């Protein structure tokens, strides 16, 4: 379960989702970028995080807190 919460039926922990149909107070989730909204069939309570890609160029310097760094190689 996500950090002490419960997920609504229709989504899974440790899975990337994309925000669609965002307004000032609401948004929906999609499994794909620009895709259809996922139907959530139960309520849940959990934490969500915004993930912003960062391109690291040769010579760039940066810091991360321990445990917060994931490498993805294409």
């Amino acid at each position: 379960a996500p950090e002490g919460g419960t997920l609504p039926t229709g989504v899974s922990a440790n899975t990337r989702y994309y925000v669609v149909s965002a307004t000032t107070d609401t948004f929906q989730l999609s499994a794909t970028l620009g895709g259809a909204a996922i139907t959530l069939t139960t309520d849940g309570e959990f934490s969500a995080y915004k993930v912003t890609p960062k391109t690291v160029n040769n010579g760039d310097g940066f810091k991360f807190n321990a445990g917060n760094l994931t490498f993805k190689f294409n």
Side-chain angles (χ1 to χ4, degrees):
E3 296 189 20
T6 56
L7 288 172
T9 301
V11 295
S12 300
N14 299 315
T15 302
R16 182 177 295 176
Y17 294 98
Y18 300 87
V19 172
V20 294
S21 304
T23 67
T24 300
D25 298 319
T26 65
F27 63 90
Q28 295 177 298
L29 298 176
S30 173
T32 58
L33 183 62
I38 296 169
T39 300
L40 304 177
T41 56
T42 62
D43 290 341
E45 184 176 315
F46 58 96
S47 297
Y49 302 94
K50 178 181 179 180
V51 177
T52 304
K54 166 66 176 138
T55 300
V56 179
N57 298 305
N58 188 22
D60 284 354
F62 54 93
K63 293 182 181 181
F64 289 95
N65 294 327
N68 292 341
L69 180 61
T70 301
F71 289 99
K72 179 182 177 186
F73 296 97
N74 295 327

